[in-house]
Every structure is written in structure tokens, then in C-alpha cells.
């Protein structure tokens, strides 16, 4: 990425289970950082090779704009189209920071400090679900899905023994990880992937 102020994304995988399919790419616009508001998505095409399988996946880790709706929609549409191109021979899974309040029937939340919360909602508006993992329902099905969250509280940012997720300098990220476990519909083989904004170092007292 040419612009040093741009945000980055990554896809991490277990080499014992997956191998690179030689078609990974950073979905980004070098010509105009304004196109996606300095955000991007990392695409990783991988082969699932456990138990003699050679099933191809397209994983995309995304970070969408929170302040510019057009930039957010533009990148999300690009991601969806990129997955549709290979849907006949690859299973597409995408997820990460959508930077918008998502539909939430389970009253989950993935951050305690949403930057673009409605000011009228105050502290309450910052506790929202803005991260998600999306997947097709053709070849795989959900086994479990959870936001590995902690309570939001009024911890003192000057006291590291008081947990406050909003203060990311103590815990590595202002987002909670999302963990999804899937299984193949034909044979029940399980595997899991996780999505988080950064490393899951919670800042708790050891």
C-alpha cells in the first residue's frame, strides 16, 4: 500500500490444514485512496488439504469505512463480486470490521467504543455489533458462532488492573474476536476460523 496512513488487513491460516492456491490479493485502490476511504480487504485463496481433501476456499478479511457510506458500500460490493466470480469452484467466506451497526437479533456486541455511534445514544450507542463472518450455505453449514466478548464497564484508563475494553492501548484492539465453526455438509468435517481487528491480547492482569 502506497499510503502510509491506510489501514491493513490479514488472513492467517494453519499450514497443516491449508495450502496457498497462488491467487491471493490485496483488494485496494492505489490510484485513489479515497475510493475506499483508505480501507481495504485481503483475499487469500487456499486449499483445504486435511484428510486427503483438496477443497478450495476464498477467504477475505475486510475493514470497511465507518465515516463514508459510499466508500464502505463500494468496497463491500467489490468483495461480494470477487467471491461470486469463483463461487462454482471455491467456497467464499468473508468477515471483519464492517464499521456499521449490523442487524443483531441476539443482542451481541463486538465493541464497546464504536467511533461513529450516534451522539444522542451516548455511552450506550458505543456498545454495538459491527463485526461479522459471512458464508454461503451450499457446501458448509454453521456448527457454532460467537462473539468472544467481555463486559463493557467504566474502568479507569490510568489503572491497568481495571478492565476497560475501550482503551485499546491495554488490550491490543477495540474489537472483540468472532469465532465461527463450520462443517462440510457431506461428511461432517469441522474447522474453525476467527475474525478480529487485531491480536486478541485482552489486557487482563496476569
Amino acid at each position: 500500500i502506497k499510503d502510509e496512513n491506510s489501514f491493513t488487513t490479514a488472513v492467517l491460516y494453519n499450514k497443516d490444514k491449508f495450502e496457498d492456491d497462488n491467487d491471493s490479493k490485496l483488494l485496494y485502490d492505489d490510484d485513489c485512496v479515497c475510493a475506499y476511504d483508505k480501507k481495504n480487504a485481503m483475499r487469500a485463496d487456499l486449499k483445504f488439504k486435511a484428510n486427503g481433501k483438496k477443497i478450495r476456499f476464498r477467504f477475505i478479511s475486510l475493514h470497511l469505512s465507518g465515516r463514508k457510506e459510499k466508500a464502505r458500500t463500494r468496497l463491500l460490493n467489490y468483495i461480494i463480486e470477487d467471491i461470486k466470480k469463483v463461487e462454482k469452484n471455491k467456497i467464499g467466506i468473508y468477515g471483519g470490521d464492517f464499521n456499521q451497526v449490523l442487524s443483531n437479533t441476539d443482542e451481541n456486541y463486538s465493541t464497546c467504543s464504536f467511533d461513529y455511534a450516534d451522539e444522542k445514544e451516548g455511552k450506550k450507542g458505543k456498545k454495538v455489533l459491527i463485526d461479522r463472518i459471512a458464508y454461503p450455505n451450499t457446501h458448509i453449514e454453521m456448527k457454532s458462532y460467537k462473539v468472544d466478548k467481555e463486559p463493557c464497564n467504566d474502568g479507569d484508563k490510568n489503572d491497568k488492573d481495571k478492565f476497560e475494553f475501550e482503551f485499546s492501548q491495554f488490550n491490543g484492539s477495540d474489537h472483540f474476536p468472532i469465532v465461527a465453526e463450520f462443517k462440510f455438509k457431506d461428511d461432517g468435517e469441522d474447522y474453525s476460523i476467527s475474525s478480529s481487528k487485531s491480536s486478541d491480547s485482552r489486557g487482563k492482569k496476569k
Side-chain angles (χ1 to χ4, degrees), residues 94-96 98 102 106 108 110 129-135 142-148 177-182 193 195:
Y94 62 96
F98 285 77
L102 302 170
D106 297 326
N108 265 322
S110 58
L129 181 71
I130 62 174
D131 302 88
R132 178 164 289 168
I133 296 174
Y135 68 100
M142 183 75 70
K143 181 183 178 183
S144 66
Y145 187 97
K146 71 173 182 177
V147 182
D148 192 13
I178 296 177
V179 179
E181 290 186 292
F182 303 94
I193 64 171
S195 171

Side-chain angles (χ1 to χ4, degrees), residues 40-61:
N40 59 74
M42 173 59 71
R43 183 184 80 196
D45 281 18
L46 305 172
K47 291 179 184 176
F48 182 69
K49 60 179 183 177
N51 300 328
K53 291 183 179 294
K54 288 290 183 178
I55 299 177
R56 288 179 165 84
F57 285 84
R58 171 159 288 182
F59 294 102
I60 297 182
S61 172

Side-chain angles (χ1 to χ4, degrees), residues 1 6-10 26 38-40 42 61-63 197:
I1 299 178
S6 295
F7 291 77
T8 56
T9 51
L26 181 67
K38 299 184 178 181
K39 300 301 192 293
N40 59 74
M42 173 59 71
S61 172
L62 60 85
H63 189 182
K197 188 172 182 180

